[in-house]
Amino acid sequence: MNKIVSLLVVYLFVSAVSSQISTITPSASSIAQTSVADKNNWSTFANPAMLGYLEHPEFGFQFENRYLLNELSSKSAQIGFSSKLICTGISFSHFGYSQYHEMLAGVGFARNFSNKFAMGVQANYFTTYFSASNSYRGTFFPQVGLLVQLSPTFNIGFNASNPFQSTLKTEYVTKRLPSVFSLGTGYSFSPEFIWRTQIDKEVSSNYRFATGFDYQMLEKIKVKVGTYGSDYLIPCLGMGLKTGSFLIDLNCELHPLLGLNTFAAIHYRFRK
């Protein structure tokens, strides 16, 4: 069983880069990974500029299960602090199982300039455990983000993760970490109905295209639908629930070959 899981992990590394969904970076709560222009949700490692839109301190935890295998699950946590001058966020993610796992930690800073645009930077540290040598290997890489509010209903976001193409070196192999550049838009037909699009490009891979819709059906319930793809078209469905200071997101994706991805996140926003 461990050999099968290990082979699947290797396959995920190859297929993930081609589809722009790297196991290094956890999924975002935005449907179909259209997070780069989603100023209403700050997700770990998605776009640090979104930190600038925090109005109150926020804590969140998320869990993703890939293809119903516990060995391929991701767990992430984040905490953000808001202030008039600058907002600060701390993020952590863990992927894998005892024989092989990855950890990613980040510290980000962002500022919102009068709601006209927001800028953010983040320092990330990625480390991997190799059971063969019983050792960890790690490296740093930066992340920068920008969101511009072109009109009251339309914004555009940009994110660059690992723009200088950092690598992870071991005794046996040099692993190149994905360098992903993302550009996305968000358009509000109304406060209750939002449409987002996103294009991702990893420097040595194909483009990834994504689109998604959020519809606030009731005061506390939101429905999300979308799709993304590069080699395959992957449908996505989700819902959001707001109760008091808690925000809950449940998303799922159906890969035509590998099966079902499930995602759950819970955020708590402190009130002053």
Side-chain angles (χ1 to χ4, degrees):
M1 180 64 182
N2 287 338
K3 291 183 178 179
I4 295 176
V5 173
S6 299
L7 290 174
L8 185 54
V9 170
V10 173
Y11 173 77
L12 282 175
F13 277 127
V14 177
S15 63
V17 172
S18 65
S19 63
Q20 314 309 316
I21 301 296
S22 169
T23 54
I24 294 176
T25 304
S27 297
S29 57
S30 304
I31 196 67
Q33 309 303 310
T34 55
S35 56
V36 74
D38 188 358
K39 68 178 184 180
N40 296 322
N41 292 293
W42 168 53
S43 295
T44 54
F45 310 103
N47 184 350
M50 301 311 163
L51 266 171
Y53 290 95
L54 286 184
E55 297 180 354
H56 307 285
E58 176 182 310
F59 173 79
F61 176 81
Q62 62 187 50
F63 176 82
E64 181 181 13
N65 183 256
R66 297 172 183 264
Y67 319 122
L68 306 180
L69 291 173
N70 291 331
E71 292 83 357
L72 302 182
S73 63
S74 297
K75 297 167 284 291
S76 305
Q78 63 185 42
I79 185 169
F81 304 94
S82 60
S83 70
K84 294 182 179 179
L85 180 62
I86 196 169
C87 297
T88 305
I90 302 173
S91 306
F92 177 80
S93 176
H94 178 279
F95 166 81
Y97 64 115
S98 59
Q99 298 300 309
Y100 177 86
H101 52 268
E102 304 170 347
M103 292 179 288
L104 181 61
V107 178
F109 305 92
R111 184 174 180 181
N112 180 3
F113 295 87
S114 303
N115 286 326
K116 295 181 179 179
F117 69 95
M119 298 181 63
V121 296
Q122 186 161 305
N124 297 318
Y125 181 74
F126 173 74
T127 182
T128 300
Y129 172 75
F130 296 91
S131 60
S133 58
N134 193 27
S135 62
Y136 287 88
R137 293 291 185 273
T139 186
F140 286 94
F141 67 89
Q143 184 177 355
V144 295
L146 174 69
L147 187 132
V148 179
Q149 192 73 40
L150 298 179
S151 75
T153 59
F154 182 73
N155 61 59
I156 184 169
F158 171 79
N159 179 67
S161 179
N162 188 27
F164 305 117
Q165 303 183 43
S166 298
T167 59
L168 185 65
K169 297 182 179 180
T170 71
E171 297 91 337
Y172 309 105
V173 68
T174 298
K175 174 180 173 61
R176 183 185 65 82
L177 303 186
S179 298
V180 182
F181 298 85
S182 303
L183 183 67
T185 63
Y187 182 78
S188 299
F189 294 98
S190 69
E192 297 81 18
F193 189 32
I194 300 175
W195 174 37
R196 289 189 301 274
T197 66
Q198 185 165 323
I199 300 175
D200 303 313
K201 181 66 173 75
E202 205 279 330
V203 293
S204 61
S205 306
N206 296 327
Y207 286 92
R208 172 188 176 270
F209 301 91
T211 185
F213 296 88
D214 289 357
Y215 179 59
Q216 193 77 35
M217 293 182 59
L218 302 172
E219 181 182 355
K220 297 182 178 181
I221 299 177
K222 176 171 60 178
V223 175
K224 302 180 286 185
V225 295
T227 185
Y228 71 86
S230 178
D231 298 326
Y232 299 98
L233 191 65
I234 300 177
C236 309
L237 182 66
M239 67 172 294
L241 175 65
K242 182 178 180 181
T243 171
S245 296
F246 286 95
L247 290 86
I248 301 171
D249 286 284
L250 301 172
N251 298 342
C252 62
E253 306 172 355
L254 184 60
H255 193 285
L257 294 182
L258 299 177
L260 188 67
N261 275 11
T262 56
F263 172 93
I266 181 169
H267 290 220
Y268 181 84
R269 292 178 178 173
F270 296 88
R271 303 298 182 183
K272 293 183 179 179

